[in-house]
Amino acid sequence: MLDSVKTFTKILSYIIRGGCTIHVFQSTFIEFTETRGESMLPTLNSANDFVFSDKHYRNGRDLKIGDCIVALKPTDPDQRVCKRITGMPGDLILIDPSLKNYYNGNKQEIEFEDSFNKYIRVPKGHVWVTGDNLAHSLDSRSYNSIPLGLVKGKIIAANDFNKPFWENGVIYGFRKIENNYVDEA
Amino acid sequence: MFNNIPFLKRFSTPLYKNTIAFTGKKVLLMISWLPVAIIFNEHVAYVGKIEGSSMRPTMNPSSTSLQDWVLLWKFNVKDNLKLDDVILFRSPTNPNKVLCKRIKAVQGDIVSTRHPYPRETCAIPRNHLWAEGDNIHSIDSNNFGPISKGLVIGKATRIIWPPQRWGTDISKGGRECRMSLITREYDDVEEVKTE
Amino acid sequence: MAPPTPILSKDEILRAYKLDKMLKSPDNNCTLKSLTQFECSFDNGLYKCNPFKRIFQDCILSNGKRQVVEMTTSETNEDDSLIDKRRFMDVQADLKRIYEEVQNGASS
């Protein structure tokens, strides 16, 4: 009887130690997590896309404009969102240059009212984030810039489980998620 | 190898070998429990040192006394943040800094702000908190606005150092800043005051 | 929530941050950078994404500080050859109508 209790506690202690090691690894180094939603199309698929989140970059460490990040939603900190940084602290950026107003009826012309005239300065310690699908993303344009303390990691790569196991030389649509802040010719 | 060098010959004896193996095993055992300790510190409880004077007189009551150390409770705290809790959270203006303030308003409340907040009142959005230091001179929500609950690291439940400050009640402090309890224009002010 | 941030017009930021001087002075290494995002609409069971480019002036000032200013205008994305704007606007109008129907259905 005492032996079985001993074995039980031994196994339990292995499970606890093993589980905690995995958890510490995931929160300190890299986490593999699922994303859902259309706000990051076409960079990330709307379902069954799993991202590698590098925890070195949590709390904004070494982050640059153009990086994709995983952050807590300010109004619902139980939920995580994947967005791209389009403004670092101190940057002067437009709130929403993609905002279009258009006429109904026959004259379907695209009018930009003052989308190109509304600037803000991103406050210290905050970043402005937008989803890559500007037409379908709830981001800083609605809830203002987010504090860097809510940033939990940078997205460095993704696996798309909608793709077959092997296609074009990659497993499950593996690709690196790049920073697209580049020089303009 | 140890057998060739005469001076080191003593290290090849069974006594030494066993001692090294024994110590090595114990060290590995301790290391294997390290992640568990880390998880405990991250998610259950930790100890925090309070620096600065923004929570005077509740904490660090004078510049000559020793700085307070508090028990920082982290387990299940995100859903249980209440008015007058003393919380530790990441500063919105500097994510590497941790601040200690008291919750003076929760989501839905309207707060009467102090200088230097640019507006007279502030409505607290969903899952945000208004955090103020007990001391008038403090950098708090009056400087950076309401903070998201996601920035909260834990709740300071009791002072554990210095020993003469054990048992100090830190559950009350700071000013009343919620509009509904300050102004006298509301009919049901009697009802509200009895809480 | 971020601290209350004022919305400024282009003239106001040009004046407040002395941008005319900053952008023209050769001492500041100003490079033109771009960031391309997308506007996607759901069309016949597939997503159709049109690129939306944003342009920034990235300057390193003489005192070592970095200032990034967005310079996107209506001309930045005017190249119509790749975009079927009319179809995109139709889909947007449809989505708006569907959204409103859902809202009205939910509130009634």
Side-chain angles (χ1 to χ4, degrees), chain A residues 13 16-17 20-21 23-24 59 72 74-77 124-126 147-150, chain B residues 29 32-33 35-36 38-39 43 90 92-95 126-128 148-151:
Chain A
S13 83
I16 292 177
R17 281 182 275 171
C20 288
T21 316
H23 194 106
V24 169
N59 297 329
L72 300 180
T75 47
D76 278 298
K124 184 163 165 233
H126 289 69
L148 283 167
L150 291 178
Chain B
L29 187 69
S32 74
W33 281 101
V36 183
I38 293 175
I39 295 290
H43 295 286
R90 289 204 181 272
T93 47
N94 183 351
R126 190 179 140 81
N127 281 323
H128 280 64
S148 171
K149 275 189 190 171
L151 290 171

Side-chain angles (χ1 to χ4, degrees), chain B residues 140-159:
Chain B
D140 51 28
S141 279
N142 289 304
N143 300 77
F144 43 70
I147 56 162
S148 171
K149 275 189 190 171
L151 290 171
V152 172
I153 297 173
K155 204 194 281 196
T157 44
R158 55 191 81 222
I159 300 179

Side-chain angles (χ1 to χ4, degrees), chain A residues 20-181:
Chain A
C20 288
T21 316
I22 296 174
H23 194 106
V24 169
F25 183 84
Q26 272 211 327
S27 32
T28 327
F29 300 109
I30 301 211
E31 188 178 352
F32 190 60
T33 178
E34 187 185 8
T35 64
R36 233 173 279 134
E38 298 124 0
S39 65
M40 282 297 283
L41 281 169
T43 315
L44 297 174
N45 222 323
S46 52
N48 285 331
D49 222 340
F50 283 70
V51 295
F52 291 90
S53 166
D54 188 341
K55 299 295 175 146
H56 165 91
Y57 297 91
R58 71 199 137 141
N59 297 329
R61 196 164 141 202
D62 293 335
L63 276 180
K64 294 198 257 321
I65 184 173
D67 283 341
C68 283
I69 54 158
V70 174
L72 300 180
K73 202 174 188 178
T75 47
D76 278 298
D78 296 329
Q79 290 177 26
R80 283 141 148 236
V81 291
C82 299
K83 301 285 176 214
R84 195 182 288 271
I85 296 179
T86 48
M88 293 293 283
D91 290 355
L92 292 160
I93 54 165
L94 289 165
I95 294 179
D96 195 359
S98 72
L99 188 65
K100 305 179 209 336
N101 298 301
Y102 50 91
Y103 301 120
N104 282 324
N106 302 328
K107 196 180 175 196
Q108 283 184 319
E109 268 194 29
I110 296 174
E111 281 287 324
F112 304 87
E113 245 187 33
D114 37 14
S115 322
F116 298 108
N117 206 20
K118 288 199 173 130
Y119 282 85
I120 59 144
R121 181 167 203 264
V122 182
K124 184 163 165 233
H126 289 69
V127 281
W128 187 267
V129 294
T130 48
D132 272 349
N133 184 0
L134 294 167
H136 213 289
S137 164
L138 195 67
D139 46 42
S140 285
R141 296 170 294 170
S142 316
Y143 47 67
N144 213 332
S145 39
I146 62 171
L148 283 167
L150 291 178
V151 173
K152 294 300 166 195
K154 173 176 156 182
I155 299 177
I156 50 174
N159 262 115
D160 189 352
F161 285 90
N162 293 318
K163 297 252 160 51
F165 176 74
W166 187 262
E167 188 193 51
N168 292 338
V170 291
I171 296 178
Y172 282 126
F174 179 84
R175 68 253 187 231
K176 275 194 176 168
I177 304 291
E178 306 281 356
N179 177 320
N180 59 1
Y181 185 67

